[in-house]
Amino acid sequence: MPETFFWWLAVEVMGIVAFPLVYAFFPRLPDRGYAFAKPFGLLVIGFVFWILGSAWVLTNNAGGIAWVVLMVGATSGYLAWQRRDEILAFLREKWSLLLVIEGLFILALVLAAYLRSFTPEISGTEKPMDFAFLNASTISEHFAPNDPWLSGHTISYYYGGYFLVAMTGKLASVPASTGFNLGLAMIAALAVVGAFGLVYNLVTLHEERAKKKAKLLGPPLVFGLVAAVLLTIIGNLEGLLEFLAAHGAGGNGFWNWVDIKGLTSVGNSTTSWYPTEHWWWWRAARIVSPDAPETITEFPFFSFLLGDLHPHVMAIPFGLLGIAAAIRLLQEDEVLDLSFWAGHQLLLVALAILVGGLSFLNTWDLPTFFFLLVVAALVRNFLARKRWDWTLLKQTLGFAVPLGIASVLAYVPYHKAFIPAFGFASQANGIAPVEGNGTLPFHALVFWGPMAVLVLPFAAQRFVASLKGRPWRPNEWWAAAPGGAVVGLWLLWVLARGNLGAAMPDRGSAWLTALILVAVLTLLVATLRREIEAYAAAEGSLAVVVALIAGSLATLLILGAEFFFIKDVFSNRMNTVFKLYYQAWLLLAISGGFALYYMVMHWLPRRTVFSGWRYAWGGAAIVILAAGLAYPLGATLARTEDFGLPRTLDGLAWTKQQGDYMAAQWLSDNAKPTDVIVETVGSQSIGYEWGSTGRISSWTGLSTVYAWPGHEVQWRGGDTLTAGRLEDVDTLYTTTNTADVQRIVAKYGINYIVVGSLERQTYSQAALEKFDGMYPVAFRSGDVVVYKVTQQR
């Protein structure tokens, strides 16, 4: 479709504009950062445009975006001219690699858009929320965008991803209803290229260290593609269980032991070779304990299949960019301390835009990837000093504190919303210990099996290899400190609350999961320390160090979610597991991609008395990774109904014949972005049903008085700002007293009153007829009417 081409062209332009910048930012990566040029360009151009839009210097339109592209392009062009000889030499040497990266992006974008075209509907789950924020970011003349579901207030959410997708849509001249699906396809394609780029660079660095010339069609390419599959395509092992259940395997006892809500073979049958039960693929993201609400165990392919344009999904390419930035810091020659910034101001600006941008995109990502950068700085400083001491900590803090401050200052227009006086109050209100059930060992295996079969044998192999010539030292038991600290803090916390006697047995067999995670983390940290020391002695590999850092951090996140959670309106660990598992999946996909390279290329070929173990691991890896592919294969066929559904990328095609849509389209064409509408509030629960989603405000981005109450309470951390709005909307529609109507209209500055299908279902005809005598009809299509608020007739 033409929209896909113009979307690709817009992203391509931003990537080309940014390439000289990433070339300078990544001076020692084999691809000079080319795989990250597009997300880097999106982020830098988006940041400048957003800052100028927040300051009311530029208006949020295609012309304003074009000006910023030219501004950034001029800076980038000047840099390219200054380095024209070396950049031209790089292009001549690496042109085939660049073509592979471009081809991979196009292929992934087109394939992702093709799959989205079978299920493009912006309906159900949290798509209406995503579309509301996307539309608000699209129509807003300046920033921050108005909240579509709480008039008089700006969005109280991390809206950076919606802003970047909206910006790309404007540049590509693609309507938001299509841009919704192309934005998701773009994120998938950027994730594919980012994962490929990271492991391509790691493998190439390792090959070059071994004095091997990395061939384009050799291991770097192959295992870069493997990493892309691990990140974006492979699923957890629940898909294999679905296949077994669909074909009647197992009895009640077995499925009760499996203990995944709704999963059983009893009474289940299918005439197809893949599962066909309605939305069976949903269960793969709900495998950890049947808590209510269920703990979310989402992973990227599930996200792309579901189709919600959520912040944790849109942040994927930028999290990968954060990993690349950590590699860049590890490659520095200088000590990373306070004095480092004096000679690297532009690097500080670039990292501040990236780190602060993670908060803007998905605030959950900020602590994790900032910590990753700090760890990279710590390791870099050890490599310079070659000893562990307190000076390392002081140097690293000197590096980290200015970066943290600069990252916050860069996004002041966003962070000021966190001040209650500006109307923001987060639902997050501290940390609490998990006192209920943890993760059962089998559930942990089902979810993490495809990653564990790669990362754990790799770490074990490197640890055993390191013992040759370097025996174990007593001070290395400090490797157990991170895991021990997590469990020890939990014990002390729960003991202080007086609940230890009940909390200990409540965890049941989840204690085995915790014990395994602590052991795994200890192995990874111990191996990491040894590999860092080996690299400092010019005997190790930077790529191995990066893979172990990523694996260690991922394991720490998984272990942390076993014992602690961020307190929110749900009062359980649902969201904590959800967000931390997602970050861990990204880190393990990169670690696992390199681990598979190392094991296949450097461990399996060796012939020793232990060769049986090598073949056993190789067979297990093949079986488990193949099982991980069962989910994407079966789920794609089920979701697309065997590729038999009608295709379009327009997410509102399903509703275009309805009067409500026509009213929304009229409002989009005629209302001002600052106008306020009113429509029925709908359900007061968290609710995902159509009537609770503020469908007119979602489809237009215009602010309504109140919609989706359950979510507004989450975003605002309470009902202080929403109190009385539901009653006022009901009164406006139900009263026959015109004075009450005028009072409410004036209170909220309402410009348009919607009387559509849901309003007629909710309120009496007699009550709705009063508007005919009060305000002129601005739009009518059948029973759907939009009244323009003017002085009463």
Side-chain angles (χ1 to χ4, degrees):
M1 296 177 69
E3 292 92 342
T4 306
F5 170 77
F6 287 117
W7 196 279
W8 165 80
L9 185 61
V11 178
E12 191 68 27
V13 167
M14 289 187 277
I16 291 171
V17 165
F19 172 62
L21 299 177
V22 297
Y23 182 89
F25 186 83
F26 295 107
R28 296 180 179 178
L29 280 187
D31 77 340
R32 295 304 297 261
Y34 192 86
F36 312 103
K38 293 177 178 64
F40 195 94
L42 266 170
L43 191 61
V44 171
I45 291 169
F47 172 76
V48 175
F49 180 56
W50 174 76
I51 283 289
L52 295 177
S54 298
W56 289 51
V57 174
L58 288 179
T59 302
N60 181 22
N61 54 37
I65 300 167
W67 272 112
V68 173
V69 172
L70 290 174
M71 290 166 56
V72 175
T75 304
S76 189
Y78 174 77
L79 183 61
W81 179 254
Q82 293 292 103
R83 300 188 174 195
R84 58 189 181 278
D85 292 337
E86 60 178 288
I87 290 178
L88 287 173
F90 168 80
L91 294 176
R92 284 192 294 267
E93 180 185 358
K94 299 285 188 177
W95 65 267
S96 55
L97 170 62
L98 307 191
L99 286 180
V100 167
I101 292 173
E102 290 295 343
L104 186 59
F105 178 74
I106 293 171
L107 178 63
L109 179 67
V110 170
L111 181 59
Y114 173 76
L115 293 176
R116 288 299 319 136
S117 71
F118 287 98
T119 56
E121 297 84 7
I122 304 173
S123 176
T125 60
E126 292 189 318
K127 294 181 185 67
M129 179 202 85
D130 298 325
F131 194 43
F133 288 167
L134 177 61
N135 272 319
S137 299
T138 299
I139 71 169
S140 179
E141 294 181 341
H142 303 285
F143 307 114
N146 291 324
D147 188 336
W149 288 336
L150 195 71
S151 62
H153 297 276
T154 55
I155 291 176
S156 179
Y157 200 62
Y158 19 88
Y159 67 89
Y162 304 106
F163 160 74
L164 291 180
V165 172
M167 182 186 74
T168 307
K170 279 181 174 290
L171 195 60
S173 296
V174 172
S177 59
T178 300
F180 183 98
N181 288 301
L182 284 175
L184 192 62
M186 173 186 71
I187 295 301
L190 292 176
V192 165
V193 173
F196 168 83
L198 280 169
V199 172
Y200 172 90
N201 281 301
L202 290 176
V203 172
T204 301
L205 288 171
H206 188 82
E207 296 267 302
E208 290 175 349
R209 166 201 159 273
K211 309 301 182 184
K212 297 180 181 178
K213 185 175 181 180
K215 298 179 181 179
L216 175 63
L217 298 180
L221 177 76
V222 172
F223 292 97
L225 292 174
V226 167
V229 171
L230 288 173
L231 177 62
T232 63
I233 296 178
I234 206 165
N236 61 43
L237 302 181
E238 197 273 345
L240 176 62
L241 295 174
E242 294 284 354
F243 273 81
L244 294 175
H247 291 89
N252 275 329
F254 173 74
W255 295 109
N256 287 338
W257 176 80
V258 167
D259 196 21
I260 295 176
K261 188 175 180 179
L263 179 59
T264 179
S265 66
V266 179
N268 195 4
S269 62
T270 179
T271 58
S272 174
W273 64 271
Y274 62 86
T276 55
E277 180 189 353
H278 181 64
W279 272 44
W280 63 264
W281 46 270
W282 178 269
R283 283 191 288 261
R286 299 295 189 278
I287 64 173
V288 174
S289 74
D291 295 339
E294 300 144 327
T295 300
I296 301 174
T297 52
E298 194 167 323
F299 51 94
F301 186 84
F302 172 89
S303 305
F304 299 137
L305 186 72
L306 178 65
D308 284 7
L309 192 66
H310 258 21
H312 67 279
V313 180
M314 292 185 284
I316 292 174
F318 307 97
L320 297 175
L321 183 57
I323 299 174
I327 299 173
R328 185 250 182 271
L329 294 180
L330 286 167
Q331 292 180 306
E332 266 293 336
D333 287 327
E334 302 177 49
V335 171
L336 300 178
D337 58 7
L338 182 61
S339 63
F340 173 81
W341 293 123
H344 299 83
Q345 296 96 332
L346 293 180
L347 178 62
L348 177 61
V349 171
L351 285 175
I353 292 173
L354 170 59
V355 175
L358 289 172
S359 176
F360 188 36
L361 287 154
N362 182 39
T363 304
W364 286 83
D365 283 353
L366 175 62
T368 295
F369 291 101
F370 181 70
F371 181 72
L372 176 64
L373 293 177
V374 173
V375 169
L378 178 69
V379 173
R380 176 62 255 166
N381 291 337
F382 171 81
L383 295 176
R385 293 180 57 80
K386 295 183 174 55
R387 64 177 180 268
W388 303 101
D389 56 25
W390 289 107
T391 301
L392 283 180
L393 182 59
K394 289 189 292 183
Q395 290 173 333
T396 306
L397 285 176
F399 173 87
V401 172
L403 176 58
I405 293 172
S407 300
V408 172
L409 292 178
Y411 289 84
V412 162
Y414 168 67
H415 290 296
K416 74 176 185 180
F418 286 78
I419 302 172
F422 287 90
F424 182 93
S426 172
Q427 64 168 314
N429 59 356
I431 301 175
V434 176
E435 296 188 35
N437 295 330
T439 304
L440 301 179
F442 180 70
H443 290 165
L445 174 63
V446 168
F447 192 83
W448 294 114
M451 303 298 179
V453 76
L454 302 177
V455 176
L456 295 189
F458 165 67
Q461 190 278 330
R462 291 309 309 146
F463 178 75
V464 171
S466 73
L467 292 175
K468 297 175 182 177
R470 283 191 296 155
W472 180 261
R473 296 161 293 176
N475 66 350
E476 291 186 84
W477 280 112
W478 280 104
V486 171
V487 178
L489 180 59
W490 181 86
L491 289 169
L492 291 174
W493 198 324
V494 176
L495 178 63
R497 290 160 63 102
N499 298 333
L500 188 60
M504 289 285 288
D506 279 350
R507 297 189 67 87
S509 62
W511 278 113
L512 179 56
T513 306
L515 179 63
I516 294 171
L517 287 171
V518 170
V520 168
L521 182 58
T522 301
L523 169 65
L524 285 163
V525 172
T527 309
L528 173 61
R529 173 174 175 167
R530 286 176 156 256
E531 289 294 339
I532 292 170
E533 292 172 349
Y535 184 65
E539 298 173 356
S541 164
L542 180 65
V544 171
V545 169
V546 171
L548 290 170
I549 290 175
S552 300
L553 179 53
T555 307
L556 182 61
L557 293 171
I558 298 165
L559 178 64
E562 281 298 297
F563 289 97
F564 299 98
F565 69 96
I566 304 297
K567 292 193 292 184
D568 54 22
V569 296
F570 299 107
S571 297
N572 63 31
R573 68 182 189 131
M574 178 184 75
N575 274 324
T576 301
V577 169
F578 174 15
K579 300 300 174 66
L580 298 191
Y581 270 31
Y582 214 80
Q583 296 167 7
W585 190 281
L586 266 65
L587 292 162
L588 288 174
I590 304 307
S591 180
F594 179 81
L596 185 61
Y597 152 77
Y598 190 92
M599 298 294 280
V600 169
M601 302 300 296
H602 295 280
W603 188 61
L604 276 182
R606 297 180 183 178
R607 295 289 182 266
T608 70
V609 294
F610 299 107
S611 293
W613 288 104
R614 304 173 196 276
Y615 298 135
W617 169 79
I622 291 172
V623 170
I624 292 176
L625 293 176
L629 292 172
Y631 179 85
L633 177 61
T636 299
L637 292 171
R639 182 82 163 122
T640 63
E641 295 185 16
D642 214 3
F643 297 101
L645 294 173
R647 294 180 53 224
T648 179
L649 282 172
D650 186 350
L652 291 183
W654 64 278
T655 190
K656 283 191 173 180
Q657 302 305 312
Q658 299 180 15
D660 286 334
Y661 171 82
M662 297 176 188
Q665 189 60 52
W666 185 91
L667 285 166
S668 293
D669 293 339
N670 294 277
K672 295 181 293 187
T674 54
D675 282 343
V676 175
I677 67 172
V678 64
E679 58 186 317
T680 182
V681 174
S683 171
Q684 299 178 55
S685 67
I686 296 298
Y688 300 95
E689 58 273 8
W690 185 46
S692 68
T693 57
R695 83 278 188 208
I696 304 297
S697 46
S698 175
W699 295 343
T700 63
L702 296 170
S703 289
T704 190
V705 174
Y706 195 29
W708 216 341
H711 277 69
E712 282 291 350
V713 170
Q714 287 185 64
W715 303 328
R716 306 285 171 177
D719 60 359
T720 302
L721 296 179
T722 64
R725 291 198 177 220
L726 175 63
E727 294 76 12
D728 283 343
V729 172
D730 280 343
T731 298
L732 182 142
Y733 279 108
T734 58
T735 185
T736 56
N737 186 328
T738 58
D740 286 341
V741 173
Q742 290 177 309
R743 173 183 59 81
I744 295 168
V745 164
K747 180 178 180 180
Y748 296 105
I750 296 170
N751 303 101
Y752 294 96
I753 299 172
V754 175
V755 177
S757 59
L758 291 180
E759 287 73 27
R760 295 194 185 279
Q761 293 173 22
T762 306
Y763 306 107
S764 71
Q765 180 66 24
L768 297 175
E769 286 176 352
K770 65 178 177 289
F771 297 125
D772 287 325
M774 295 183 66
Y775 304 114
V777 173
F779 170 85
R780 185 188 297 273
S781 176
D783 288 338
V784 178
V785 184
V786 176
Y787 297 93
K788 169 70 173 175
V789 173
T790 60
Q791 289 186 345
Q792 186 177 352
R793 293 176 180 174

